[in-house]
Amino acid sequence: MDFQQSDRMKKLPPYLFIEMDRKKKAAIEKGVDIISLAIGDPDLATPDFIVEALYKGAKDKANHQYPLGPGLPKFREAVAKWYQHRFGVTLDPKDEVVALIGSKEGIGHLPIGVLNPGDVCLMPSPGYPVYHAGTLFAGAESYFMPLTEKNGFLPDLDAISADVLKRAKLIWTNSPNNPTSVLMDKAFYTKVVAFAQKNNLIVANDAAYTELYYDGKKPVSFLEVPGAKEIGVEFHSLSKTFNMTGWRVGFAVGNKSIIKALADVKGNLDSGVFNPIQYAGIAALEAPDSVSENIRKIYQERRDLFAAGLKKLGWQFQIPQAAFYFWIKVPNGMSSADWCGKVLEEAGIVVTPGNGFGAEGEGYFRMTITVDKARLEEALQRLAKLK
Ligand SMILES: *Cc1c(COP(=O)(O)O)cnc(C)c1O
């Protein structure tokens, strides 16, 4: 059969991680001892008590049917309690919380619920590629807000023209940020809320990394700002906080009309998160803070070690404030793609070219500290030998 993929699919940039994975596999086939610092996927195991909760749930035949709806009431209550405990934000579990099959799923689907063809969606560049993909699938247009060193890697809201703003309906923000690891503080979120109110925008903040922070400096929630819940939602994930990337469970919270739009899209396309996985999610959300503290401790040691090593190489980067990414300027003026090819060939290290996160990422590359300290040391030794 001869067919062409849809025009929408053809508009997509190549999905970065698949491309990197292909290159990595080719090198492994050649027998290279590859260190992968490319993908944001924790190497650590899901804590045992979470696995136990899944097991217990799976043994109960009441859980074997379609889960349906916006998530188990108990799951949504656990989310609301966690938000209260962690951020001091009050949520109504009835209509201000929806369970997601990983936050990526919800991020991809939200635009279908709120955007029309011709609408503009504002999003960061570099940025998580799903904001753009979801916007394209909704038939809407992406407008990229450059994250540059000059602006401290925060979007410059004042630089967006009135023309664009007239057609804009949704703005994505992402803090703690992937790929830059920069944080938005309450003052910045306050600006975002005022900007959205003035321009009649929906705000969607992607907050997948709020629990992976350093030096004891806790990131805030967008919803802590007065007025935020009137115009916005926040996406959250258990993936990075509890080493649960493979489980596919996350949630969106905030404005109930926006949550309903997302839940309505999902109601037509999927049938919810497997109940035992939601029970595992409840166990994670109700866990004592020491669980995420122990995970943070591991990343803190890795971050400190890696930052010190990269400094010695004389490379230019900001020390990550949260998340597990180093966003680094290509040291020798090469293109991002050529530089990453060189690092793979000469050092056997897979890193991610910055332009994969959008045009503004050109000239940068990203390294992830999702390997143990011994492997990070080995990576630093190899990088020091690059010609
Ligand atoms: C990992 C990640 C997500 C999605 O994680 P899920 O596993 O789908 O919950 C969302 N946003 C950013 C910025 C991420 O890096």
Side-chain angles (χ1 to χ4, degrees), residues 40 101-105 107 128 130-131 174 176-179 206-209 235-240 244-246 248-251 324-325 366:
I101 310 171
S103 61
K104 180 180 185 179
E105 175 264 301
I107 290 166
Y128 186 56
V130 188
Y131 313 136
N174 170 214
N177 190 268
N178 174 11
D206 178 357
Y209 294 95
F235 285 76
H236 212 99
S237 172
L238 298 174
S239 292
K240 317 290 171 33
M244 292 177 76
T245 46
R248 312 317 301 133
V249 58
F251 46 90
F324 38 49
Y325 303 110
R366 192 191 75 175

Side-chain angles (χ1 to χ4, degrees), residues 16-28 344:
L16 178 77
F17 303 137
I18 292 172
E19 184 58 22
M20 290 309 295
D21 217 37
R22 196 181 56 72
K23 283 190 183 157
K24 173 179 144 188
K25 280 192 184 122
I28 289 172
L344 180 57

Side-chain angles (χ1 to χ4, degrees), residues 32-34 332 334 338-349 379 381-387:
V32 182
D33 169 30
I34 289 288
N332 60 1
M334 270 179 149
D338 287 349
W339 168 255
C340 294
K342 176 185 163 82
V343 173
L344 180 57
E345 255 161 50
E346 291 179 19
I349 301 173
Q381 279 167 20
R382 292 189 198 178
L383 291 172
K385 287 187 204 134
L386 281 178
K387 277 173 244 116

Side-chain angles (χ1 to χ4, degrees), residues 29 63 78 97 109 139 177 296 314 328-329 332 365 371 386:
E29 260 165 42
N63 289 327
V97 179
H109 281 145
N177 190 268
R296 272 192 295 277
I328 307 165
K329 214 170 213 165
N332 60 1
F365 66 109
V371 298
L386 281 178

Side-chain angles (χ1 to χ4, degrees), residues 69 76 86 304 350 384:
R76 287 178 282 140
R86 172 62 177 84
D304 293 347
V350 192

